[in-house]
Short mmCIF file of all heavy atoms in Angstrom, two decimals:
data_model
loop_
_atom_site.label_atom_id
_atom_site.label_comp_id
_atom_site.label_asym_id
_atom_site.label_seq_id
_atom_site.Cartn_x
_atom_site.Cartn_y
_atom_site.Cartn_z
N ASP G 294 -4.99 23.93 2.28
CA ASP G 294 -3.81 23.09 1.76
C ASP G 294 -3.73 21.76 2.40
O ASP G 294 -3.41 20.80 1.75
CB ASP G 294 -2.52 23.94 1.94
CG ASP G 294 -2.39 25.24 1.16
OD1 ASP G 294 -3.36 25.57 0.42
OD2 ASP G 294 -1.35 25.90 1.21
N VAL G 381 2.14 22.02 -1.69
CA VAL G 381 0.83 22.76 -2.08
C VAL G 381 1.16 24.21 -1.79
O VAL G 381 1.61 24.59 -0.66
CB VAL G 381 -0.32 22.24 -1.34
CG1 VAL G 381 -1.67 23.07 -1.69
CG2 VAL G 381 -0.51 20.73 -1.57
N CYS G 382 0.87 25.10 -2.74
CA CYS G 382 0.98 26.54 -2.55
C CYS G 382 2.37 26.88 -2.09
O CYS G 382 3.37 26.54 -2.78
CB CYS G 382 -0.11 26.97 -1.61
SG CYS G 382 -0.44 28.70 -1.51
N VAL G 383 2.48 27.69 -0.99
CA VAL G 383 3.75 28.18 -0.56
C VAL G 383 4.62 27.13 0.10
O VAL G 383 5.67 27.54 0.71
CB VAL G 383 3.65 29.48 0.32
CG1 VAL G 383 3.06 30.65 -0.51
CG2 VAL G 383 2.71 29.21 1.53
N GLY G 384 4.14 25.89 0.25
CA GLY G 384 4.91 24.84 0.76
C GLY G 384 6.06 24.65 -0.12
O GLY G 384 7.09 24.10 0.34
N ALA G 385 6.12 25.30 -1.38
CA ALA G 385 7.31 25.10 -2.23
C ALA G 385 8.51 25.89 -1.61
O ALA G 385 9.63 25.50 -1.93
CB ALA G 385 6.97 25.84 -3.53
N PHE G 386 8.28 26.81 -0.64
CA PHE G 386 9.45 27.37 -0.07
C PHE G 386 10.20 26.50 0.79
O PHE G 386 11.36 26.47 0.97
CB PHE G 386 8.93 28.61 0.74
CG PHE G 386 8.60 29.85 0.06
CD1 PHE G 386 7.41 30.01 -0.72
CD2 PHE G 386 9.48 30.87 -0.03
CE1 PHE G 386 7.15 31.11 -1.46
CE2 PHE G 386 9.31 32.07 -0.80
CZ PHE G 386 8.07 32.10 -1.53
N ALA G 399 9.62 24.85 -11.06
CA ALA G 399 8.67 24.72 -9.97
C ALA G 399 7.70 25.88 -10.01
O ALA G 399 7.82 26.84 -10.79
CB ALA G 399 9.50 24.76 -8.61
N THR G 400 6.57 25.84 -9.23
CA THR G 400 5.57 26.86 -9.13
C THR G 400 5.08 27.01 -7.72
O THR G 400 5.52 26.21 -6.80
CB THR G 400 4.30 26.66 -10.16
OG1 THR G 400 3.60 27.74 -10.18
CG2 THR G 400 3.50 25.47 -9.52
N THR G 401 4.43 28.15 -7.45
CA THR G 401 3.79 28.45 -6.19
C THR G 401 2.60 29.31 -6.51
O THR G 401 2.35 29.71 -7.67
CB THR G 401 4.85 28.93 -5.20
OG1 THR G 401 4.15 29.10 -3.88
CG2 THR G 401 5.30 30.41 -5.52
N HIS G 402 2.09 29.76 -5.41
CA HIS G 402 0.90 30.79 -5.60
C HIS G 402 1.48 31.96 -6.33
O HIS G 402 2.61 32.48 -6.08
CB HIS G 402 0.44 31.25 -4.20
CG HIS G 402 -0.81 32.02 -4.27
ND1 HIS G 402 -0.95 33.24 -4.80
CD2 HIS G 402 -2.11 31.71 -3.73
CE1 HIS G 402 -2.19 33.70 -4.72
NE2 HIS G 402 -2.93 32.78 -4.10
N TRP G 403 0.72 32.48 -7.31
CA TRP G 403 1.23 33.55 -8.09
C TRP G 403 1.61 34.79 -7.29
O TRP G 403 2.58 35.56 -7.68
CB TRP G 403 0.20 34.05 -9.28
CG TRP G 403 -1.12 34.51 -8.60
CD1 TRP G 403 -2.30 33.67 -8.48
CD2 TRP G 403 -1.51 35.81 -8.22
NE1 TRP G 403 -3.37 34.53 -7.98
CE2 TRP G 403 -2.81 35.83 -7.82
CE3 TRP G 403 -0.89 36.99 -8.15
CZ2 TRP G 403 -3.56 36.89 -7.27
CZ3 TRP G 403 -1.48 38.18 -7.65
CH2 TRP G 403 -2.78 37.97 -7.27
N ALA G 404 0.94 35.01 -6.16
CA ALA G 404 1.39 36.18 -5.41
C ALA G 404 2.71 36.09 -4.73
O ALA G 404 3.24 37.08 -4.22
CB ALA G 404 0.30 36.41 -4.33
N TYR G 405 3.33 34.94 -4.65
CA TYR G 405 4.53 34.67 -3.98
C TYR G 405 5.68 34.23 -4.92
O TYR G 405 6.75 33.93 -4.57
CB TYR G 405 4.37 33.64 -2.82
CG TYR G 405 3.46 34.13 -1.74
CD1 TYR G 405 2.05 33.84 -1.81
CD2 TYR G 405 3.83 34.93 -0.72
CE1 TYR G 405 1.17 34.27 -0.91
CE2 TYR G 405 2.97 35.42 0.20
CZ TYR G 405 1.63 35.10 0.20
OH TYR G 405 0.76 35.44 1.15
N ALA G 406 5.27 34.22 -6.29
CA ALA G 406 6.26 33.60 -7.13
C ALA G 406 7.47 34.44 -7.28
O ALA G 406 8.65 33.98 -7.37
CB ALA G 406 5.55 33.48 -8.56
N ASP G 407 7.40 35.72 -7.20
CA ASP G 407 8.53 36.65 -7.33
C ASP G 407 9.45 36.50 -6.19
O ASP G 407 10.69 36.44 -6.24
CB ASP G 407 8.12 38.08 -7.41
CG ASP G 407 7.53 38.48 -8.77
OD1 ASP G 407 7.68 37.67 -9.75
OD2 ASP G 407 6.85 39.43 -8.98
N GLU G 408 8.87 36.38 -5.00
CA GLU G 408 9.61 36.14 -3.74
C GLU G 408 10.32 34.82 -3.76
O GLU G 408 11.49 34.76 -3.37
CB GLU G 408 8.74 36.15 -2.59
CG GLU G 408 9.38 36.03 -1.17
CD GLU G 408 8.49 36.08 0.03
OE1 GLU G 408 7.30 36.36 -0.11
OE2 GLU G 408 9.05 35.76 1.04
N LEU G 409 9.68 33.72 -4.25
CA LEU G 409 10.36 32.50 -4.36
C LEU G 409 11.62 32.58 -5.27
O LEU G 409 12.62 32.07 -5.06
CB LEU G 409 9.32 31.44 -4.86
CG LEU G 409 9.93 29.96 -4.99
CD1 LEU G 409 10.35 29.43 -3.67
CD2 LEU G 409 8.91 29.11 -5.65
N GLU G 410 11.40 33.21 -6.42
CA GLU G 410 12.44 33.39 -7.41
C GLU G 410 13.60 34.15 -6.88
O GLU G 410 14.71 33.83 -7.12
CB GLU G 410 11.90 34.03 -8.74
CG GLU G 410 12.82 34.11 -9.86
CD GLU G 410 12.08 34.64 -11.17
OE1 GLU G 410 11.32 35.52 -11.13
OE2 GLU G 410 12.45 34.07 -12.15
N ALA G 411 13.21 35.32 -6.16
CA ALA G 411 14.30 36.06 -5.61
C ALA G 411 15.14 35.36 -4.45
O ALA G 411 16.31 35.61 -4.32
CB ALA G 411 13.70 37.40 -5.06
N VAL G 418 11.33 29.33 -11.63
CA VAL G 418 9.90 29.43 -11.17
C VAL G 418 9.04 29.74 -12.24
O VAL G 418 9.25 30.67 -13.08
CB VAL G 418 9.88 30.46 -10.11
CG1 VAL G 418 8.50 30.84 -9.60
CG2 VAL G 418 10.76 30.34 -8.79
N ASP G 419 7.98 28.99 -12.46
CA ASP G 419 6.89 29.22 -13.47
C ASP G 419 5.60 29.66 -12.82
O ASP G 419 4.92 28.82 -12.25
CB ASP G 419 6.77 27.97 -14.32
CG ASP G 419 5.83 28.21 -15.51
OD1 ASP G 419 5.22 29.29 -15.58
OD2 ASP G 419 5.78 27.40 -16.37
N PRO G 420 5.34 30.78 -12.70
CA PRO G 420 4.04 31.22 -12.02
C PRO G 420 2.78 31.06 -12.77
O PRO G 420 1.68 31.44 -12.23
CB PRO G 420 4.32 32.86 -11.79
CG PRO G 420 5.16 33.19 -12.99
CD PRO G 420 6.07 32.06 -13.27
N SER G 421 2.96 30.68 -14.04
CA SER G 421 1.71 30.60 -14.86
C SER G 421 0.93 29.21 -14.82
O SER G 421 -0.26 29.16 -15.29
CB SER G 421 2.12 30.80 -16.36
OG SER G 421 2.97 29.74 -16.81
N VAL G 422 1.58 28.24 -14.31
CA VAL G 422 0.93 26.87 -14.34
C VAL G 422 0.26 26.52 -12.96
O VAL G 422 0.52 27.11 -12.02
CB VAL G 422 2.02 25.79 -14.71
CG1 VAL G 422 2.53 26.04 -16.08
CG2 VAL G 422 3.05 25.79 -13.77
N LEU G 423 -0.64 25.46 -13.12
CA LEU G 423 -1.28 24.95 -11.94
C LEU G 423 -0.46 24.01 -11.15
O LEU G 423 -0.56 24.02 -9.87
CB LEU G 423 -2.57 24.25 -12.26
CG LEU G 423 -3.68 25.19 -12.88
CD1 LEU G 423 -4.89 24.39 -13.41
CD2 LEU G 423 -4.17 26.28 -11.84
N TYR G 424 0.42 23.23 -11.74
CA TYR G 424 1.42 22.42 -10.98
C TYR G 424 2.56 22.03 -11.93
O TYR G 424 2.41 22.22 -13.16
CB TYR G 424 0.69 21.14 -10.44
CG TYR G 424 0.05 20.27 -11.47
CD1 TYR G 424 0.87 19.29 -12.04
CD2 TYR G 424 -1.27 20.28 -11.78
CE1 TYR G 424 0.29 18.41 -13.04
CE2 TYR G 424 -1.78 19.48 -12.70
CZ TYR G 424 -1.08 18.56 -13.31
OH TYR G 424 -1.71 17.72 -14.33
N THR G 432 5.35 20.40 -7.49
CA THR G 432 4.90 21.64 -6.78
C THR G 432 3.62 22.12 -7.41
O THR G 432 3.38 21.90 -8.60
CB THR G 432 5.91 22.82 -6.94
OG1 THR G 432 6.24 22.92 -8.23
CG2 THR G 432 7.19 22.49 -6.08
N SER G 433 2.71 22.67 -6.53
CA SER G 433 1.47 23.15 -7.17
C SER G 433 1.32 24.72 -6.89
O SER G 433 2.09 25.27 -6.06
CB SER G 433 0.32 22.49 -6.52
OG SER G 433 -0.11 23.02 -5.22
N ALA G 434 0.42 25.29 -7.60
CA ALA G 434 0.12 26.74 -7.38
C ALA G 434 -0.66 26.98 -6.19
O ALA G 434 -0.77 26.07 -5.36
CB ALA G 434 -0.51 27.30 -8.64
N GLY G 435 -1.31 28.07 -6.13
CA GLY G 435 -1.96 28.38 -4.82
C GLY G 435 -3.32 27.55 -4.55
O GLY G 435 -3.97 27.11 -5.46
N VAL G 436 -3.39 27.30 -3.24
CA VAL G 436 -4.52 26.60 -2.61
C VAL G 436 -5.22 25.64 -3.48
O VAL G 436 -4.87 24.47 -3.65
CB VAL G 436 -5.58 27.62 -2.01
CG1 VAL G 436 -5.02 28.18 -0.73
CG2 VAL G 436 -5.78 28.85 -3.02
N ALA G 437 -6.34 25.90 -4.20
CA ALA G 437 -7.13 24.89 -4.92
C ALA G 437 -6.30 24.21 -6.01
O ALA G 437 -6.67 23.14 -6.35
CB ALA G 437 -8.38 25.59 -5.64
N ALA G 438 -5.19 24.70 -6.51
CA ALA G 438 -4.34 24.05 -7.40
C ALA G 438 -3.86 22.71 -6.78
O ALA G 438 -3.37 21.86 -7.59
CB ALA G 438 -3.26 24.98 -7.91
N GLY G 439 -3.81 22.75 -5.48
CA GLY G 439 -3.39 21.42 -4.81
C GLY G 439 -4.37 20.17 -5.14
O GLY G 439 -3.89 19.20 -5.21
N ARG G 469 -8.43 21.29 -15.51
CA ARG G 469 -8.82 22.70 -15.68
C ARG G 469 -8.22 23.34 -16.96
O ARG G 469 -7.01 23.10 -17.12
CB ARG G 469 -8.65 23.53 -14.51
CG ARG G 469 -9.59 23.23 -13.38
CD ARG G 469 -9.53 24.40 -12.25
NE ARG G 469 -8.34 24.22 -11.38
CZ ARG G 469 -7.96 25.08 -10.55
NH1 ARG G 469 -8.55 26.34 -10.41
NH2 ARG G 469 -6.98 24.92 -9.83
N GLY G 472 -4.08 27.90 -17.12
CA GLY G 472 -3.09 27.77 -16.01
C GLY G 472 -3.51 28.73 -14.99
O GLY G 472 -4.52 29.37 -14.81
N GLN G 473 -2.46 28.97 -14.07
CA GLN G 473 -2.69 29.79 -13.01
C GLN G 473 -2.82 31.25 -13.39
O GLN G 473 -3.26 32.14 -12.77
CB GLN G 473 -1.52 29.65 -12.07
CG GLN G 473 -1.68 30.44 -10.74
CD GLN G 473 -0.50 30.32 -9.80
OE1 GLN G 473 -0.59 30.69 -8.63
NE2 GLN G 473 0.67 29.69 -10.15
N ALA G 474 -2.19 31.56 -14.60
CA ALA G 474 -2.04 32.95 -15.07
C ALA G 474 -3.42 33.65 -15.21
O ALA G 474 -3.60 34.86 -14.87
CB ALA G 474 -1.29 33.04 -16.43
N GLN G 475 -4.52 32.89 -15.50
CA GLN G 475 -5.78 33.51 -15.70
C GLN G 475 -6.32 33.99 -14.39
O GLN G 475 -7.32 34.75 -14.44
CB GLN G 475 -6.65 32.47 -16.43
CG GLN G 475 -7.02 31.33 -15.53
CD GLN G 475 -7.77 30.23 -16.35
OE1 GLN G 475 -8.91 30.57 -16.82
NE2 GLN G 475 -7.20 28.94 -16.39
N TYR G 476 -5.79 33.57 -13.23
CA TYR G 476 -6.31 33.90 -11.98
C TYR G 476 -5.56 35.11 -11.34
O TYR G 476 -5.95 35.64 -10.33
CB TYR G 476 -6.32 32.85 -10.97
CG TYR G 476 -7.08 31.57 -11.38
CD1 TYR G 476 -6.48 30.59 -12.16
CD2 TYR G 476 -8.41 31.53 -11.04
CE1 TYR G 476 -7.31 29.53 -12.55
CE2 TYR G 476 -9.32 30.49 -11.54
CZ TYR G 476 -8.70 29.42 -12.27
OH TYR G 476 -9.38 28.50 -12.68
N VAL G 477 -4.46 35.52 -12.04
CA VAL G 477 -3.63 36.61 -11.49
C VAL G 477 -4.41 37.95 -11.77
O VAL G 477 -4.60 38.14 -12.98
CB VAL G 477 -2.26 36.61 -12.22
CG1 VAL G 477 -1.39 37.72 -11.63
CG2 VAL G 477 -1.51 35.23 -11.94
N ASP G 478 -4.57 38.73 -10.77
CA ASP G 478 -5.12 40.09 -10.98
C ASP G 478 -3.99 41.01 -10.80
O ASP G 478 -3.50 41.25 -9.77
CB ASP G 478 -6.24 40.27 -9.90
CG ASP G 478 -7.04 41.50 -10.18
OD1 ASP G 478 -6.90 42.13 -11.19
OD2 ASP G 478 -7.76 41.97 -9.23
N THR G 479 -3.65 41.75 -11.89
CA THR G 479 -2.58 42.76 -11.87
C THR G 479 -3.16 44.08 -12.40
O THR G 479 -2.95 44.39 -13.49
CB THR G 479 -1.50 42.29 -12.92
OG1 THR G 479 -1.94 42.04 -14.13
CG2 THR G 479 -0.76 41.08 -12.36
N PRO G 480 -3.90 44.78 -11.52
CA PRO G 480 -4.42 46.11 -11.84
C PRO G 480 -3.43 47.01 -12.11
O PRO G 480 -2.27 47.04 -11.46
CB PRO G 480 -5.39 46.29 -10.80
CG PRO G 480 -4.80 45.71 -9.56
CD PRO G 480 -4.21 44.37 -10.15
N GLU G 482 -2.09 50.60 -11.65
CA GLU G 482 -2.32 51.61 -10.70
C GLU G 482 -2.61 52.93 -11.41
O GLU G 482 -2.10 53.28 -12.47
CB GLU G 482 -1.10 51.86 -9.85
CG GLU G 482 -0.82 50.77 -8.92
CD GLU G 482 -1.82 50.51 -7.95
OE1 GLU G 482 -2.54 51.42 -7.54
OE2 GLU G 482 -2.02 49.28 -7.65
N ARG G 534 -1.10 45.39 -21.49
CA ARG G 534 -1.85 45.03 -20.28
C ARG G 534 -3.13 45.71 -20.16
O ARG G 534 -4.09 45.17 -19.60
CB ARG G 534 -0.93 45.50 -19.07
CG ARG G 534 0.32 44.69 -18.96
CD ARG G 534 0.98 44.98 -17.51
NE ARG G 534 2.20 44.27 -17.40
CZ ARG G 534 2.90 44.26 -16.16
NH1 ARG G 534 2.33 44.76 -15.13
NH2 ARG G 534 4.00 43.56 -16.18
N ARG G 541 -10.72 41.29 -20.23
CA ARG G 541 -11.05 40.30 -19.06
C ARG G 541 -12.27 40.89 -18.36
O ARG G 541 -13.23 40.15 -18.06
CB ARG G 541 -9.93 40.23 -18.07
CG ARG G 541 -8.65 39.43 -18.71
CD ARG G 541 -7.46 39.48 -17.74
NE ARG G 541 -7.66 38.76 -16.54
CZ ARG G 541 -6.76 38.57 -15.60
NH1 ARG G 541 -5.48 39.08 -15.82
NH2 ARG G 541 -6.86 37.78 -14.67
N ARG G 542 -12.39 42.24 -18.10
CA ARG G 542 -13.52 42.64 -17.41
C ARG G 542 -14.75 42.68 -18.17
O ARG G 542 -15.81 42.34 -17.70
CB ARG G 542 -13.18 44.20 -16.99
CG ARG G 542 -11.97 44.40 -15.97
CD ARG G 542 -12.19 43.63 -14.75
NE ARG G 542 -11.01 43.69 -13.86
CZ ARG G 542 -10.14 42.76 -13.63
NH1 ARG G 542 -10.31 41.65 -14.35
NH2 ARG G 542 -9.22 42.89 -12.91
N HIS G 573 -0.57 35.03 -22.65
CA HIS G 573 -0.43 35.61 -21.32
C HIS G 573 -1.25 34.78 -20.26
O HIS G 573 -0.82 34.84 -19.01
CB HIS G 573 -0.70 37.04 -21.32
CG HIS G 573 0.19 37.92 -22.13
ND1 HIS G 573 1.48 38.13 -21.74
CD2 HIS G 573 -0.04 38.49 -23.36
CE1 HIS G 573 1.99 38.96 -22.66
NE2 HIS G 573 1.11 39.06 -23.73
N LEU G 574 -2.35 34.34 -20.64
CA LEU G 574 -3.18 33.66 -19.69
C LEU G 574 -3.42 32.19 -19.83
O LEU G 574 -3.93 31.42 -19.05
CB LEU G 574 -4.63 34.28 -19.72
CG LEU G 574 -4.76 35.77 -19.49
CD1 LEU G 574 -6.19 36.28 -19.57
CD2 LEU G 574 -4.10 36.19 -18.25
N HIS G 575 -2.81 31.64 -21.04
CA HIS G 575 -2.84 30.23 -21.23
C HIS G 575 -4.27 29.65 -21.32
O HIS G 575 -4.49 28.55 -20.81
CB HIS G 575 -2.03 29.52 -20.23
CG HIS G 575 -0.61 29.92 -20.11
ND1 HIS G 575 0.39 29.72 -21.10
CD2 HIS G 575 -0.06 30.70 -19.12
CE1 HIS G 575 1.44 30.28 -20.81
NE2 HIS G 575 1.28 30.94 -19.61
N TYR G 581 -12.17 31.56 -20.68
CA TYR G 581 -12.07 32.60 -19.60
C TYR G 581 -13.48 32.96 -19.16
O TYR G 581 -13.73 33.16 -17.92
CB TYR G 581 -11.17 33.71 -19.93
CG TYR G 581 -10.98 34.75 -18.83
CD1 TYR G 581 -9.87 34.59 -18.04
CD2 TYR G 581 -11.82 35.84 -18.63
CE1 TYR G 581 -9.66 35.52 -16.98
CE2 TYR G 581 -11.59 36.66 -17.64
CZ TYR G 581 -10.60 36.62 -16.84
OH TYR G 581 -10.28 37.50 -15.79
N PHE G 585 -15.10 32.69 -15.37
CA PHE G 585 -15.20 33.97 -14.58
C PHE G 585 -16.51 34.80 -14.71
O PHE G 585 -16.62 35.68 -14.02
CB PHE G 585 -14.00 34.80 -14.73
CG PHE G 585 -12.71 34.23 -14.29
CD1 PHE G 585 -11.81 33.69 -15.13
CD2 PHE G 585 -12.46 34.22 -12.95
CE1 PHE G 585 -10.65 32.93 -14.71
CE2 PHE G 585 -11.16 33.65 -12.50
CZ PHE G 585 -10.24 33.07 -13.39
#
Side-chain angles (χ1 to χ4, degrees):
D294 291 3
V381 178
C382 195
V383 293
F386 282 79
T400 193
T401 188
H402 192 294
W403 59 265
Y405 298 93
D407 288 346
E408 182 180 350
L409 182 67
E410 188 173 39
V418 180
D419 185 348
S421 67
V422 294
L423 293 174
Y424 60 85
T432 52
S433 81
V436 283
R469 282 195 280 171
Q473 185 180 196
Q475 61 186 307
Y476 298 94
V477 179
D478 190 11
T479 53
E482 293 297 327
R534 289 196 185 189
R541 292 171 68 175
R542 297 300 176 260
H573 297 286
L574 304 183
H575 306 287
Y581 184 89
F585 293 100

